[in-house]
Amino acid sequence: MCGIVGYAGPEQAAPVLLDGLRRLEYRGYDSAGLAVHGLSGIVLRKCAGRVDNLAAMLEEQPADGKMGIAHTRWATHGAPTRNNAHPHTDCRGELALVHNGVIENCHMLRTKLTELGHRFTTDTDTEVLTHLIEEAFEGNLERAVAAALTQVEGALGIAVMSEADPAKIVVARRSAPLLLGIGEDGDAATWVASDVAAVLGHTRQVVYLDDDEIAVLTPGGYETIELGAGHGRVGREPIRKEISHIDWDLERIERAGYPHFMLREIHEQPNTVRDATRGRLLEEEGTARLGGLDELEPEISRAERIILAGCGTSWHAALVGEYLIEALARIPVEVEYASEFRYRSPVLDAATLVGGISQSGETADTLAAVREAKRGGVPVFGIVNVVGSTIARETDAGVYLHAGPEIGVASTKAFVAQITTLALFALMVARRRGLDREAGRRLVRAIRGLPALLEEVLESEARIRRVAEEFGDAANFLYLGRGPNFPIALEGALKLKEISYIHAEGYPAAEMKHGPIALIDDEMPVVFIAPRDSVYPKILLNIEEVKTRGGRVIALTTGEDEELVARVDHLIRVPKTLPLLQPIVNVVPLQLLAYHIAVLRGCDVDRPRNLAKTVTVE
């Protein structure tokens, strides 16, 4: 969740670090800090609150030096205070460290280190790392880091500097993302970051670290070495790492005239679908081609069960995927909360195929589920957005979303890309298993037509804003849908509570009378997802049940149904597509409704409280 930036090069470090931290603000954080190694040693600056506070502090108290590390913290252990902000130091103040992740055995280590005479000054789990390194230090920083990490349980990405071993930054990764930025065109500078956005203003060349790898950065370059498993040593020979080229630029992570990243990303969704399907639809054959899954073709062909694992919005996308795959390919699908999958002894066999879905490709719970499936000996594929992410590297095969950078913490375009990709996957598997070619062609044509339908939905934004104006002061919302639109009810509710802080719940419409109906009164808005499909008459009955109890109804429907106008308080019309693809169209007005309600309530839409873009802790 937290953000790491480090720099070693010919320029003053502080401005470079501040720029990197600003690029990481979208991830969610509650404090910020940096440490710069200058001529007089390590200078520390940190504060509670925003990066702007840190920038103001640096104007009054500059930190000179050409090497440094910086951090934005999302609190886990200890309140979001200046004292608990990173970087942290050792007893002598000669070492500075920033850390992403969680040290699971921090209490045991703290007790042990206290008995050895170390003095702790923060409430964080991270501080134990500084003292472990201090205890192990014998003149070489990377060896001390390696020795310290053998005692640590949990996830971590760290960057460390020491006055006693100057002119280097040592970084290490275990289950928390880290990458190196490599200078271009003769630039000798190197960077470390937890997200490519932090270095994109300086270089497009990056090296992704794998678990239990250490890198040593200097103003003249870098080397990567392997942590000797269980021995507290670093490898003798450098590891050769592939340099990846990032093919998107800073413009794609700017707001481009929109008031918020989230609104820009909502409006990008027609192109998101185009990008997710480009080169993958084969209309003549009535199928889809996903080249990233070629290596798993035998396993996909013989699969008798598919398990999809994800968290939050990705879990909702997997639920839509369940409807798509079962309806088209007739393969049983189970959707798992990734956070529960690894702990419940899942039954896995040779006929099972597991898919991990994650926008970032770094979601800790989803990564843990992927690893659990691999330990079970079953084939695993990934559906991720971020190229080179851990899930992309650790799965047997996979599909990229091609949604581009998503900055808003509340996912929008990645969700649409996930469902679109799952539709392609379902079509591909279904055609291999006997789906009629003409049926496949109809689906291909419908998928090709989705961008135009999404553009039509976006043209109704003013209408949706007026609905938001009426319900912006509501304390609770209920979202109801049936079939493949039930997950869209869940997602609509999630978006509203994520960014507006209004309590909202999603339910299958038929389940309303099994509990939630007790909550309905004239102060409880109910959003019905009611396309004219096979269960439309049932949805009408559910609407009558709400209206009879004084509830206020917002209905989202397809077509020109005048009968529904008289039954609801507000009607939002969307264009119609095939029932299995209708969720892709239906979610967009719900995203807009949540966005405009949040704006009216004065909420920080792009950085909602307590949330982070990339959840790298369990």
Side-chain angles (χ1 to χ4, degrees):
M1 294 184 181
C2 310
I4 287 176
V5 188
Y7 170 77
E11 307 294 330
Q12 283 293 316
V16 176
L17 297 174
L18 278 175
D19 177 70
L21 291 184
R22 287 195 170 102
R23 301 289 179 191
L24 297 181
E25 286 190 285
Y26 75 93
R27 294 167 65 99
Y29 70 103
D30 44 48
S31 60
L34 58 77
V36 172
H37 199 160
L39 295 176
S40 59
I42 292 176
V43 177
L44 201 66
R45 300 283 185 264
K46 56 184 187 175
C47 62
R50 298 298 187 189
V51 172
D52 285 345
N53 298 346
L54 181 62
M57 178 183 294
L58 285 165
E59 287 185 6
E60 296 181 4
Q61 306 171 55
D64 294 328
K66 297 183 178 181
M67 185 173 70
I69 55 177
H71 191 266
T72 49
R73 176 178 183 252
W74 191 90
T76 53
H77 293 70
T81 63
R82 179 190 179 281
N83 190 52
N84 288 331
H86 297 215
H88 291 308
T89 62
D90 62 345
C91 294
R92 295 185 292 271
E94 296 178 352
L95 179 150
L97 176 146
V98 294
H99 165 231
N100 287 357
V102 172
I103 308 304
E104 295 176 358
N105 60 336
C106 66
H107 298 297
M108 182 271 289
L109 292 172
R110 182 183 283 254
T111 299
K112 173 184 173 182
L113 288 162
T114 300
E115 291 172 351
L116 291 172
H118 290 266
R119 303 183 308 279
F120 285 82
T121 60
T122 78
D123 304 314
T124 70
D125 57 332
T126 296
E127 194 182 0
V128 302
L129 287 168
T130 66
H131 296 287
L132 284 172
I133 296 170
E134 178 185 21
E135 185 70 22
F137 188 80
E138 295 180 348
N140 181 279
L141 185 56
E142 55 266 38
R143 289 177 188 156
V145 169
L149 295 189
T150 62
Q151 304 178 62
V152 171
E153 298 173 7
L156 57 88
I158 62 172
V160 195
M161 300 187 303
S162 172
E163 293 181 5
D165 192 7
K168 68 173 64 167
I169 300 172
V170 175
V171 305
R173 175 212 159 113
R174 180 184 297 159
S175 300
L178 277 183
L179 58 89
L180 308 181
I182 312 304
E184 299 177 275
D185 301 325
D187 186 352
T190 51
W191 294 260
V192 60
S194 52
D195 188 311
V196 70
V199 304
L200 199 56
H202 307 282
T203 181
R204 294 177 182 230
Q205 294 191 145
V206 300
V207 167
Y208 294 98
L209 294 184
D210 292 313
D211 280 356
D212 289 321
E213 287 183 351
I214 290 177
V216 181
L217 280 63
T218 66
Y222 73 99
E223 70 172 358
T224 52
I225 46 184
E226 186 175 2
L227 175 65
H231 301 294
R233 298 195 301 267
V234 289
R236 295 180 180 177
E237 298 295 329
I239 304 170
R240 287 183 174 270
K241 300 288 291 184
E242 179 182 355
I243 296 178
S244 300
H245 183 79
I246 305 302
D247 59 4
W248 45 272
D249 55 30
L250 280 174
E251 183 179 339
R252 296 192 67 183
I253 57 174
E254 299 293 351
R255 290 199 296 265
Y258 288 91
H260 298 95
F261 287 114
M262 183 179 181
L263 186 61
R264 173 181 175 169
E265 288 156 7
I266 290 172
H267 279 264
E268 285 178 338
Q269 288 176 124
N271 283 332
T272 297
V273 174
R274 291 186 183 99
D275 291 341
T277 58
R278 184 172 288 117
R280 292 172 167 176
L281 288 171
L282 307 175
E283 186 168 350
E284 179 61 28
E285 293 88 347
T287 189
R289 176 175 51 220
L290 298 172
L293 297 179
D294 286 348
E295 294 182 24
L296 278 187
E297 185 172 352
E299 290 82 357
I300 293 172
S301 297
R302 65 170 177 261
E304 297 178 5
R305 179 177 67 143
I306 296 174
I307 297 174
L308 300 177
C311 301
T313 287
S314 295
W315 185 74
H316 296 160
L319 289 174
V320 180
E322 178 181 15
Y323 284 95
L324 284 160
I325 296 166
E326 290 191 344
L328 295 171
R330 309 305 299 160
I331 302 175
V333 177
E334 299 172 20
V335 177
E336 295 272 2
Y337 282 111
S339 56
E340 294 293 325
F341 180 74
R342 68 181 296 202
Y343 295 111
R344 68 172 193 83
S345 299
V347 178
L348 303 172
D349 56 38
T352 299
L353 182 67
V354 173
I357 306 176
S358 165
Q359 187 282 136
S360 68
E362 303 291 352
T363 309
D365 289 313
T366 308
L367 179 57
V370 163
R371 289 170 173 169
E372 178 67 20
K374 293 188 73 172
R375 280 191 291 270
V378 300
V380 185
F381 66 95
I383 296 177
V384 302
N385 191 35
V386 179
V387 175
S389 57
T390 305
I391 291 175
R393 297 198 306 274
E394 293 200 11
T395 46
D396 300 307
V399 185
Y400 285 120
L401 301 178
H402 299 308
E406 186 179 64
I407 305 303
V409 167
S411 180
T412 52
K413 67 175 182 176
F415 176 70
V416 164
Q418 286 170 342
I419 300 176
T420 303
T421 302
L422 286 163
L424 300 182
F425 176 80
L427 173 60
M428 180 190 74
V429 177
R431 286 288 287 123
R432 292 178 183 177
R433 294 185 175 232
L435 180 71
D436 177 75
R437 183 167 69 168
E438 186 52 42
R441 287 174 174 172
R442 285 196 297 272
L443 191 59
V444 168
R445 289 193 291 269
I447 293 172
R448 286 196 192 280
L450 284 172
L453 302 187
L454 297 184
E455 288 167 350
E456 186 177 336
V457 172
L458 292 168
E459 291 173 359
S460 66
E461 183 176 358
R463 163 68 176 155
I464 296 167
R465 187 187 302 115
R466 289 193 292 273
V467 176
E469 289 169 355
E470 180 169 338
F471 295 100
D473 60 351
N476 299 280
F477 264 77
L478 186 62
Y479 287 70
L480 301 173
R482 285 177 178 254
N485 289 296
F486 157 54
I488 301 307
L490 294 175
E491 178 63 13
L494 177 62
K495 283 293 149 294
L496 186 67
K497 57 190 164 188
E498 278 183 321
I499 64 172
S500 75
Y501 318 138
I502 295 174
H503 173 256
E505 295 297 334
Y507 263 84
E511 288 295 304
M512 175 188 66
K513 55 185 171 289
H514 297 291
I517 198 168
L519 301 173
I520 293 173
D521 58 22
D522 59 4
E523 296 183 356
M524 172 78 129
V526 182
V527 179
F528 278 94
I529 305 165
R532 293 185 63 85
D533 56 16
S534 61
V535 294
Y536 180 68
K538 301 293 186 183
I539 285 280
L540 292 181
L541 291 176
N542 297 138
I543 290 173
E544 287 297 327
E545 290 172 331
V546 170
K547 293 300 293 180
T548 299
R549 288 155 181 83
R552 295 186 290 170
V553 173
I554 304 166
L556 187 156
T557 192
T558 54
E560 299 296 328
D561 189 344
E562 297 304 320
E563 178 187 9
L564 194 55
V565 173
R567 298 190 184 197
V568 303
D569 298 274
H570 293 277
L571 190 65
I572 300 172
R573 299 189 191 276
V574 296
K576 189 172 184 177
T577 184
L578 296 180
L580 286 172
L581 299 178
Q582 194 67 49
I584 296 173
V585 178
N586 292 346
V587 75
V588 178
L590 302 186
Q591 295 168 346
L592 287 168
L593 180 64
Y595 170 80
H596 285 293
I597 287 176
V599 170
L600 289 166
R601 291 167 66 92
C603 300
D604 189 343
V605 173
D606 287 330
R607 297 189 292 267
R609 68 188 183 202
N610 303 331
L611 295 179
K613 184 64 180 174
T614 307
V615 184
T616 55
V617 296
E618 292 187 64

